[in-house]
Amino acid sequence: MAAALVAGALRRGRAGGARYVAGETLRRLVSTLVVAEHEGGLVKPSSLSALAAAEAIAKENKVSLLLAGSGPTLHRAAEHAATSHPLVNEVLVADSDVFAHPLAEPWAELLRSVQQKGGYSHVIASSTSFGKNLLPRAAALLDVSPVTDVTAISEPRVFVRPIYAGNALCTVRYTGENPCMMSIRSTSFSPNTEPMSETKVAPITQVDLSFLSEASSRKSSWINLTSQETERLDLANARVVVTGGRGLKSAENFKLLEQLAEKLGAAVGATRAAVDAGYVPNELQVGQTGKIVAPELYIAFGVSGAIQHVAGMRDSKVIVAVNKDADAPIFQVADYGIVGDLFEVLGQLLEKIPDKK
């Protein structure tokens, strides 16, 4: 009996050791392609978060960063990317008018071509509107299944992602062929803030674009971009967000929130109900079908706390809720709550908080 127990323990030890060795081998074999977005000659913060996710996969990760577009801003962004993270081994640049606008069809072909030549184990993009548009199409071309909205990485092929509008977290093991394609929530991965060594500059390589066909560029075409000229802070990157719900009752009352946001140096957000009512444009919507935010301070006025809205802001560091309904679901996720008339609270805050200099 004792001999059998010892033999069983040895077998389990060998199996455990085999799993450990396999895990360590997998980490050593990791190579990642990060699909990056850029604007104004700089890599976007959401793509820098994707680099942080690549580091979470493996510290010894060999990372290539892919940029596409045209003109001088692309090359300035490439120079920024080359010094953006110690793990960046190479910056791949696809310079063509075909990539001047974020159309998924040519981008998917680009991603397939780069993957076939590079043989990466992982491909990462941020869960932005661009990433959500590109990743499924590229995954279909490569005949793999993407893992979406990853919020944590346990092992090179084990990930955590939210389900049921963020009310539950699911641990997923990817068992398919390479590459493991994934989109990450940028709010869950903090970009590298340590200064880079001046000697650590990744080489910049031009991508061979001979694979592009006229047929792919004719599948869709860019018409125009309609946006409002505004000096508002970007919701996704703001340290403080002030959000209003249907309780504000009108677009005119939203101007009170804008005044408070200006005093606090905050971005203005809104619930879907407020957007649907026409109080504010839909670019301010926070939630499952809007923008995902995780500021240091999130203040919600007249927000009931529907699960679709909470899914977009529950990772905020500190949540303050103001609502006249003491049973509003928003208070279940709030760190601080005020049960009262939001207009009275807003008025007192506007009166007592000095203007930002």
Side-chain angles (χ1 to χ4, degrees):
M1 182 68 176
L5 288 173
V6 171
L10 286 172
R11 282 196 298 272
R12 285 194 296 274
R14 283 196 293 270
R19 283 195 295 271
Y20 173 78
V21 170
E24 288 302 303
T25 302
L26 185 58
R27 282 185 172 86
R28 286 197 294 271
L29 295 176
V30 165
S31 60
T32 300
L33 178 66
V34 172
V35 183
E37 301 173 61
H38 62 95
E39 186 176 33
L42 296 172
V43 177
K44 287 189 174 182
S46 59
S47 296
L48 297 178
S49 293
L51 286 171
E55 184 176 16
I57 291 173
K59 295 288 185 183
E60 300 82 18
N61 203 340
K62 294 181 179 178
V63 176
S64 296
L65 193 143
L66 176 62
L67 289 168
S70 64
T73 57
L74 169 64
H75 297 285
R76 290 203 304 272
E79 292 171 2
H80 176 221
T83 59
S84 60
H85 197 285
L87 284 184
V88 176
N89 234 26
E90 181 183 30
V91 178
L92 303 174
V93 175
D95 189 350
S96 171
D97 290 339
V98 174
F99 305 113
H101 304 294
L103 296 175
E105 289 83 358
W107 260 95
E109 285 201 22
L110 169 65
L111 189 48
R112 174 173 63 173
S113 175
V114 170
Q115 169 60 29
Q116 288 174 340
K117 290 179 181 177
Y120 301 97
S121 63
H122 293 72
V123 175
I124 302 178
S126 292
S127 288
T128 58
S129 56
F130 171 71
K132 291 175 181 177
N133 192 24
L134 167 65
L135 209 65
R137 181 178 290 273
L141 292 177
L142 292 166
D143 197 25
V144 297
S145 291
V147 182
T148 58
D149 266 353
V150 170
T151 58
I153 297 171
S154 306
E155 296 178 20
R157 291 194 169 210
V158 178
F159 314 104
V160 177
R161 60 182 301 273
I163 56 175
Y164 302 125
N167 284 305
L169 295 175
C170 177
T171 300
V172 179
R173 181 181 295 276
Y174 179 76
T175 59
E177 299 293 324
N178 282 346
C180 172
M181 301 186 74
M182 53 192 283
S183 64
I184 60 104
R185 282 198 178 179
S186 57
T187 55
S188 299
F189 297 91
S190 300
N192 178 56
T193 55
E194 296 179 7
M196 285 277 292
S197 168
E198 293 182 5
T199 58
K200 179 66 174 75
V201 179
I204 299 173
T205 306
Q206 298 295 320
V207 176
D208 178 11
L209 300 179
S210 59
F211 65 89
L212 282 176
S213 63
E214 288 188 20
S216 67
S217 61
R218 286 201 302 266
K219 289 178 181 176
S220 63
S221 59
W222 180 267
I223 305 299
N224 61 23
L225 172 65
T226 303
S227 62
Q228 294 184 339
E229 291 296 328
T230 177
E231 296 182 358
R232 291 192 186 108
L233 291 173
D234 180 25
L235 256 177
N237 301 312
R239 293 177 61 251
V240 181
V241 173
V242 179
T243 294
R246 189 161 41 191
L248 279 161
K249 299 179 181 178
S250 71
E252 189 67 25
N253 289 335
F254 252 89
K255 292 179 181 178
L256 296 173
L257 272 194
E258 292 174 359
Q259 292 174 31
L260 179 62
E262 189 173 343
K263 284 174 175 280
L264 295 173
V268 176
T271 63
R272 179 169 182 170
V275 170
D276 289 346
Y279 300 164
V280 289
N282 59 9
E283 65 197 42
L284 299 186
Q285 183 179 325
V286 173
Q288 187 178 18
T289 54
K291 293 186 177 178
I292 308 294
V293 300
E296 293 179 18
L297 175 61
Y298 188 91
I299 310 176
F301 290 91
V303 174
S304 64
I307 58 173
Q308 291 83 0
H309 179 76
V310 171
M313 46 68 75
R314 70 186 315 148
D315 290 332
S316 303
K317 306 301 182 289
V318 177
I319 300 172
V320 179
V322 181
N323 199 300
K324 65 181 181 182
D325 181 5
D327 296 322
I330 190 68
F331 290 121
Q332 296 176 13
V333 296
D335 298 288
Y336 302 95
I338 300 175
V339 179
D341 185 272
L342 69 89
F343 295 107
E344 289 182 11
V345 176
L346 260 176
Q348 291 176 26
L349 289 172
L350 289 172
E351 180 183 339
K352 294 183 182 299
I353 296 175
D355 292 334
K356 188 178 181 184
K357 296 180 180 180

